[in-house]
Amino acid sequence: MERKTAVFRKEHFNAAHRLFVPEWTDAQNQAQFGKCSNPHFHGHNYELVVKVVGVPDPLTGYVINLSTLSSIIQHKVLSRFDHKNLNLDTEEFASLNPTAENIVYVIYQILRKELDMSLELSVRLYETERNFVEYPASGA
Amino acid sequence: MERKTAVFRKEHFNAAHRLFVPEWTDAQNQAQFGKCSNPHFHGHNYELVVKVVGVPDPLTGYVINLSTLSSIIQHKVLSRFDHKNLNLDTEEFASLNPTAENIVYVIYQILRKELDMSLELSVRLYETERNFVEYPASGA
Amino acid sequence: MERKTAVFRKEHFNAAHRLFVPEWTDAQNQAQFGKCSNPHFHGHNYELVVKVVGVPDPLTGYVINLSTLSSIIQHKVLSRFDHKNLNLDTEEFASLNPTAENIVYVIYQILRKELDMSLELSVRLYETERNFVEYPASGA
Amino acid sequence: MERKTAVFRKEHFNAAHRLFVPEWTDAQNQAQFGKCSNPHFHGHNYELVVKVVGVPDPLTGYVINLSTLSSIIQHKVLSRFDHKNLNLDTEEFASLNPTAENIVYVIYQILRKELDMSLELSVRLYETERNFVEYPASGA
Amino acid sequence: MERKTAVFRKEHFNAAHRLFVPEWTDAQNQAQFGKCSNPHFHGHNYELVVKVVGVPDPLTGYVINLSTLSSIIQHKVLSRFDHKNLNLDTEEFASLNPTAENIVYVIYQILRKELDMSLELSVRLYETERNFVEYPASGA
Amino acid sequence: MERKTAVFRKEHFNAAHRLFVPEWTDAQNQAQFGKCSNPHFHGHNYELVVKVVGVPDPLTGYVINLSTLSSIIQHKVLSRFDHKNLNLDTEEFASLNPTAENIVYVIYQILRKELDMSLELSVRLYETERNFVEYPASGA
């Protein structure tokens, strides 16, 4: 049996965003997104937990060097989103509503390309301490 | 492939409880439950994490509006258990031992009825920072 | 000797902001504030800890009812700043740079008016888990 | 100048309690203490932080051995209050309302007798993550 | 359907370690493990979360008594590793590189023998707040 | 009245250490320091909170730029102690017992030289979540 192990790296970034559906009226957006649709934006300290699953290398004992993983997250994710306005400063959310569900999916897609296909990946994103999301879901 | 995403909402409540099996003698209860069987009760700050798994709505980007989920938890769970004596003030634990395993199961049953069947559900309950439970188990 | 006791209430709010000095060039602002001066704003989950010092009432055992204090913070502070753009949506920071030092001072001034003068007050504000401020300083 | 240093030890206990003033009617107690006056009790995970200030011993480098301090807290405080009903199971709160302000004062008095008078003492008590108290207050 | 529930117990230990592959030169070790290969060791506060999955006993409402589980972890794991130098003071890591992946695997093997085979087991180990691992992986 | 404000920056480092008094026998060291005197060392994730008190600059709204403060801590403190054996790899603790009280004092002395004398300074050091120290003490 393979010795499948999960390794996790936590990072964070700060960003502004606004939730709204452009096809909707202000009243509809307000009804669905409440104060999160404030036209002047609000913001969060996002905490990001990246989980990589694989078999540790028998010599080094590493699934993946977490310094390497941290560096990938820094260069591919944080450099795009940290201290940015997700709606105005990023291509990804120019026309995609920056809900936590959509942000975590975008981050997953970015990181998936950077990792060897032998490694499984999932990403958890904390928008606040009380609201967070994970993709792909590990099953309820 | 469906884009299954998990969303989480954390809430808390404070309650008193006592662990004991009515069929047992005091000595048996003391042996099994130790100081947790104190007849005058003790209490906890319970932290509750509700996990809902589904596919985000393509328009809103939400699996479920977490304000709605929070409101359901408030009205169906916290209103019953917050600042209550679980043994004396609730129907659910009038004759069911209020272990964390039983509390999390009861909360799961309450919330399961409130959510659309297309959504998967699991519930984690922290009795203390060091002791916590989850139902259904995601597999060890 | 009086039995002076401190009581603390923690609340939070989410806001967008941008740090910059209008008299300065973009280059000067960038040099001083770095990515915090992004013209499109970024944001934070601000954690607020309000400390009130007084002598407990001999009958109730309360310095101040923390539900009352929480309610004051909600109505006077959070209702102004939560899910807002501090630079664009508030009078207080229309021409005052919204550094943590300035935000905590503004919140102190707001709360000071709401509390009896027999009570001492100080406010701590976490901009991130690693950066926080307190006013007035209790001495280093 | 003396090299005054503070050392801190964190412990926790779980207890049930009820807030009420016996001289008051139920309606008055409900108005002041709300759900905290539930006659069947509720409970908390109390976190206790004990602060001792003194000059480190030049040889050992210790203000006080924190294992010793922990042991004092265990035997003098936790053994009395952990997994207890503060109103029913303790002498201290038989007729004293167990607010956080009163609990922290009682704990201070207990510990003060156990420590050398050359050491200063203060105690912080977290009733929940959002409500906590400190005695004596260090000044706001 | 069986009522499979997960229960968790968190413990911690402090240890020193050094990462290196004896077959490698110092330069190779430095390239792979960086400052973690400091020949004089460095150390961590390891947080350990043990997850046990089973069906609660209908009478007690326990999957496993968490006091019993805590006691097993104390006697079989913490007594071997707490306040130890993993490389020098333990048999397990005399010739096995003490990466988090290897430590969590060793702890899993130790605990697996102590638990009834009807119970599933997994172990999570936090080396720092930002770097942690889990074995077996629950799937990404 | 001056607007004295405190600003805080949190950093961390990982190190190995051993507590012992060279003039003492092994038995004496064991009696005083217990498992902390293990001759092969153990280690910690140290959390460091640096507090600087001053009057915010009226133009920038900063007491001190926390990026600058972070950089000073990195270059003057973390570069010396992170991933080091405090007893073997540092001058400071070659003959000074590396208790938390002594480490925090050494860090204070290092940082005091780097900051303008108009700024007050204090340093808090967490050895574990339950054991921490502060210098200078703010008074109990």
Side-chain angles (χ1 to χ4, degrees), chain D residues 74-97:
Chain D
Q74 300 267 355
H75 290 97
K76 300 295 175 179
V77 177
L78 305 191
S79 65
R80 286 195 211 187
F81 300 141
D82 187 30
H83 282 76
K84 294 291 168 60
N85 182 309
L86 298 179
N87 305 71
L88 301 184
D89 294 332
T90 76
E91 272 181 38
E92 290 83 355
F93 302 103
S95 62
L96 178 67
N97 200 16

Side-chain angles (χ1 to χ4, degrees), chain E residues 10 12 14-16 35-36 38 40-47 82-85 88-89 126-130, chain F residues 10 12 14-16 35-36 38 40-47 82-85 88-89 126-130:
Chain E
K10 188 176 169 189
H12 73 273
N14 306 310
K35 55 192 181 180
C36 296
N38 174 12
H40 287 151
F41 313 102
H42 63 286
H44 296 289
N45 303 335
Y46 289 97
E47 295 283 346
D82 187 31
H83 282 76
K84 295 291 167 62
N85 182 309
L88 301 184
D89 294 332
Y126 290 80
E127 195 171 85
T128 70
E129 198 200 349
R130 298 190 171 274
Chain F
K10 188 176 169 189
H12 73 272
N14 307 311
K35 56 192 180 178
C36 296
N38 174 12
H40 286 152
F41 313 102
H42 64 285
H44 296 290
N45 303 336
Y46 290 96
E47 295 283 345
D82 188 29
H83 282 76
K84 294 292 167 60
N85 183 309
L88 301 184
D89 294 331
Y126 290 80
E127 195 171 87
T128 71
E129 198 199 349
R130 299 191 170 274

Side-chain angles (χ1 to χ4, degrees), chain F residues 62-131:
Chain F
Y62 273 167
V63 167
I64 183 175
N65 190 322
L66 286 179
S67 296
T68 308
L69 180 59
S70 173
S71 179
I72 292 170
I73 302 169
Q74 300 268 354
H75 290 97
K76 300 295 176 180
V77 177
L78 305 190
S79 65
R80 287 195 209 186
F81 300 141
D82 188 29
H83 282 76
K84 294 292 167 60
N85 183 309
L86 297 178
N87 305 71
L88 301 184
D89 294 331
T90 76
E91 273 179 38
E92 289 83 355
F93 302 104
S95 62
L96 179 67
N97 200 15
T99 59
E101 290 93 328
N102 282 337
I103 301 171
V104 80
Y105 183 70
V106 162
I107 292 173
Y108 173 87
Q109 298 297 345
I110 292 171
L111 291 175
R112 184 61 277 182
K113 290 180 210 134
E114 304 297 325
L115 296 173
D116 192 282
M117 284 309 294
S118 66
L119 299 169
E120 295 168 52
L121 170 70
S122 79
V123 182
R124 184 179 279 205
L125 182 74
Y126 290 80
E127 195 171 87
T128 71
E129 198 199 349
R130 299 191 170 274
N131 291 346

Side-chain angles (χ1 to χ4, degrees), chain A residues 35-121:
Chain A
K35 56 191 179 178
C36 295
S37 70
N38 173 13
H40 286 152
F41 313 102
H42 63 286
H44 295 291
N45 304 334
Y46 290 97
E47 295 283 346
L48 182 67
V49 180
V50 176
K51 178 184 182 180
V52 173
V53 175
V55 178
D57 180 279
L59 193 60
T60 63
Y62 273 167
V63 168
I64 182 175
N65 190 323
L66 286 179
S67 297
T68 308
L69 180 59
S70 173
S71 179
I72 292 169
I73 302 169
Q74 300 267 356
H75 290 97
K76 300 296 175 179
V77 177
L78 304 190
S79 65
R80 287 193 209 190
F81 300 142
D82 187 29
H83 282 75
K84 295 292 167 60
N85 182 310
L86 298 178
N87 304 72
L88 301 184
D89 294 332
T90 75
E91 272 179 38
E92 289 83 355
F93 301 103
S95 61
L96 179 67
N97 200 16
T99 59
E101 289 92 329
N102 282 337
I103 301 171
V104 79
Y105 183 70
V106 163
I107 292 173
Y108 173 86
Q109 298 298 344
I110 292 171
L111 291 175
R112 184 62 277 180
K113 290 179 211 136
E114 304 297 326
L115 297 173
D116 192 281
M117 286 308 296
S118 67
L119 299 169
E120 295 168 52
L121 170 69

